[in-house]
Amino acid sequence: MKTYIAHYKPLVQRKENLDKFLSAAFYDNFSFVVDEPNDEFIKKNYCLFSAPEISPVTAWEERTKCLDYGSVINYRSLSDAEISLLYKHFLIFSKIAESSEDFALVLEDDVVFGVNFKQELDSAIKNTPEQWDFIFMGSGCGLRVEPNKIKEGKISYLKRHPAGKCTDSFLIKKSAAKKILSTLFPFVLPIDFELNYHMMKHDMKVYWIEPPFVFQGSQIGLYSSEIN
């Protein structure tokens, strides 16, 4: 299984830490995606510039309202860091769509693992129904499966839309990557919200692993956040 890591090149320590851990966990099939978007890509694919027939505020409101987060998420333009992360995920999905493997693991460069990461990853795949499109195994933003839905001996839970978590760690099927790419542009929202929108649009089967076994270093104090 191929692993792709969205990485910001100046954050050298993050790359060194992940490189060391994945190698120690007997992972040798991983690569860091470090390319940055140029102005041409942004002007062509970011709704703020590329879709004059619809205002970015209207596009934002339509997508976030459709996702029904329970409260209004006010419009704002995307930061350079958010556009960079969106671009890297676009590159990763493109690589997955063109690969010969059925699925891949996607990570961000601030992730932290437990000691049994490889075994827990194998267990997550084994214990999820075969028809999955995405499997989220991280604890981003403190999102967890509701306690009243947890069953003894069960670790994988199908989620209702909006079904995504933060994009720190997830498995994605090749078929799902192709569907996301078919509707991704023009992008409007940060990558985690965009994924939520497109997973809902394509009625994808999204599972969360409980308890999570991947953590964000920028949320537990190990790293400073490059987004917020």
Side-chain angles (χ1 to χ4, degrees):
M1 176 179 59
K2 181 75 173 182
T3 297
Y4 298 95
I5 302 146
H7 174 58
Y8 181 47
K9 283 182 76 171
L11 303 178
V12 176
Q13 189 62 54
R14 293 189 183 191
K15 183 177 185 298
E16 290 178 354
N17 289 345
L18 262 180
D19 214 337
K20 185 185 303 182
F21 177 84
L22 291 171
S23 297
F26 304 105
Y27 265 84
D28 57 5
N29 193 16
F30 62 91
S31 63
F32 290 86
V33 176
V34 301
D35 292 346
E36 297 294 338
N38 58 29
D39 290 343
E40 181 181 357
F41 173 87
I42 296 171
K43 289 178 180 178
K44 180 180 178 181
N45 295 297
Y46 182 15
C47 179
L48 183 63
F49 307 109
S50 65
E53 70 280 2
I54 182 171
S55 78
V57 176
T58 299
W60 178 287
E61 290 176 347
E62 287 180 353
R63 291 196 178 186
T64 55
K65 181 179 179 180
C66 183
L67 289 171
D68 187 21
Y69 284 106
S71 61
V72 175
I73 301 174
N74 294 325
Y75 169 80
R76 60 177 176 77
S77 58
L78 301 184
S79 69
D80 290 345
E82 288 172 324
I83 294 173
S84 171
L85 191 55
L86 238 160
Y87 179 65
K88 290 181 174 70
H89 279 86
F90 157 67
L91 295 178
I92 290 170
F93 295 157
S94 299
K95 293 176 185 291
I96 294 170
E98 296 168 359
S99 74
S100 59
E101 297 185 89
D102 290 334
F103 59 89
L105 175 64
V106 180
L107 302 172
E108 291 178 5
D109 62 5
D110 67 337
V111 290
V112 179
F113 309 99
V115 294
N116 297 315
F117 170 71
K118 190 172 185 301
Q119 294 89 332
E120 289 174 311
L121 182 62
D122 291 342
S123 177
I125 298 169
K126 179 180 178 181
N127 287 284
T128 300
E130 292 183 3
Q131 290 72 33
W132 61 269
D133 292 297
F134 282 81
I135 302 175
F136 288 85
M137 70 286 296
S139 62
C141 297
L143 296 172
R144 301 287 295 268
V145 175
E146 300 90 328
N148 65 318
K149 294 184 178 180
I150 294 176
K151 297 181 180 179
E152 185 176 355
K154 183 176 181 178
I155 65 168
S156 185
Y157 296 82
L158 180 65
K159 294 294 295 182
R160 293 178 60 184
H161 297 290
K165 286 191 177 185
C166 298
T167 53
D168 55 283
S169 55
F170 59 89
L171 291 155
I172 176 175
K173 286 272 185 72
K174 176 179 179 178
S175 56
K178 289 181 176 180
K179 290 177 182 177
I180 295 291
L181 289 169
S182 73
T183 57
L184 182 61
F185 300 124
F187 60 83
V188 177
L189 309 169
I191 183 59
D192 49 350
F193 284 11
E194 278 290 353
L195 272 189
N196 269 333
Y197 175 77
H198 295 285
M199 289 188 295
M200 181 207 65
K201 184 179 180 71
H202 296 289
D203 193 25
M204 294 185 174
K205 290 182 169 58
V206 181
Y207 288 83
W208 289 12
I209 300 301
E210 183 65 37
F213 56 89
V214 180
F215 309 91
Q216 282 185 282
S218 56
Q219 290 188 7
I220 64 175
L222 181 62
Y223 303 121
S224 61
S225 174
E226 296 300 308
I227 294 291
N228 297 324

